[in-house]
Amino acid sequence: MNKSIIKDALILFVITLIAGFGLGAVHQITAEPIEKANYNIQQEAYKTVFPDAAKFVDMDGFDSDAATKIVSDAGYPDTIEGCVLAEDNSGNTLGYVITVTDPNSYGGNVTFSLGITEDGTLNGYSITSINDTPGLGMKAKEASFSDQFKDKQVDSFTVTKTGASSDSEIDAISGATITSKAVTSGVNAGLAYYKELTTGGAN
C-alpha cells in the first residue's frame, strides 16, 4: 500500500516537473514578442500625440510612485505610468509625453498617453488600453471625442452633458458619461504632473 502511494506521488511529481518546464519554455518563447508588441503600441501612441518628434527619450529620474503622489495630492485618483521627452532631430525638447491610467472607466482601467508642448498646449491623447462597451465607452478612442482636447491650453477640463461653452469643457460621450469623466480625469492628472515638472507645483 505504501509502495503504491510512493509510486503515485513520484509519478505526480514527475508530471508536475515536466509541466513546469513546459510552461517555463512557453513563457520564454512568448515573452519577447509580447514585450515587442507592447513597445510598438506605446511608440505608436507617442507618435500620435507628438507627430513632429524625431525621438522619445526616457526622462531622467522618473519615479512612478512619486509622480502618482503628486497627482493624488492634486485630487486625482490616477496613476502616472511614465514620462518621456519628445525631441527633434537636434535633441531639442518639444514637450512631454505622459502616460496615465485612470481606474474609473466603465470597463475598469483606461490607459493612454498625452502630449503636452513646452508652452503647455495639449496635443491630445492616444489610448493604449481600454475595456469599455463597443459603441459607448469605446468611443473615447474616436476623434469625435478625443479631438475636444487637442490644441487646448487650460489648467484642467470638466465634463458637461449640456454642450461645451468654453475650451475647458468637454462634451460627454452619449451614454458613456463615466468613461468620459475617467478620460478627462486622466488628462487633468497629466496636466497636473506637467505643471509640477515645469513650474514646481501643481496648483
Side-chain angles (χ1 to χ4, degrees):
M1 183 67 177
N2 289 337
K3 289 183 178 180
S4 176
I5 293 173
I6 292 172
K7 181 181 177 181
D8 290 345
L10 286 173
I11 292 172
L12 183 60
F13 172 75
V14 171
I15 292 173
T16 303
L17 192 64
I18 292 172
F21 278 121
L23 288 172
V26 170
H27 175 73
Q28 288 294 326
I29 293 170
T30 60
E32 186 174 342
I34 291 172
E35 183 178 347
K36 184 177 181 180
N38 289 336
Y39 173 82
N40 289 338
I41 290 171
Q42 193 66 69
Q43 289 296 310
E44 184 178 345
Y46 291 168
K47 288 297 293 182
T48 297
V49 299
F50 249 112
D52 294 336
K55 58 183 177 178
F56 301 96
V57 180
D58 290 338
M59 190 177 73
D60 288 340
F62 173 77
D63 184 323
S64 176
D65 290 338
T68 298
K69 185 178 186 307
I70 289 169
V71 300
S72 177
D73 290 346
Y76 301 108
D78 307 87
T79 300
I80 303 298
E81 306 283 0
C83 183
V84 299
L85 302 179
E87 296 184 351
D88 63 16
N89 283 314
S90 300
N92 299 311
T93 299
L94 302 176
Y96 301 84
V97 181
I98 300 169
T99 300
V100 183
T101 294
D102 186 278
N104 296 321
S105 186
Y106 186 79
N109 289 348
V110 54
T111 300
F112 55 89
S113 296
L114 59 149
I116 308 174
T117 66
E118 284 277 82
D119 68 356
T121 301
L122 181 62
N123 284 347
Y125 69 79
S126 179
I127 292 177
T128 55
S129 177
I130 186 172
N131 296 304
D132 268 48
T133 307
L136 293 173
M138 290 297 284
K139 287 185 176 181
K141 299 181 74 172
E142 297 180 3
S144 57
F145 180 73
S146 63
D147 279 357
Q148 295 183 84
F149 296 88
K150 291 182 68 173
D151 302 323
K152 300 289 181 65
Q153 195 176 57
V154 301
D155 290 332
S156 63
F157 293 94
T158 57
V159 175
T160 179
K161 294 192 288 184
T162 58
S165 59
S166 68
D167 279 354
S168 63
E169 288 189 330
I170 300 296
D171 282 324
I173 300 167
S174 179
T177 303
I178 291 174
T179 298
S180 302
K181 289 182 176 179
V183 171
T184 302
S185 174
V187 170
N188 287 341
L191 290 171
Y193 181 56
Y194 162 82
K195 283 187 280 186
E196 176 69 25
L197 291 175
T198 57
T199 67
N203 295 319

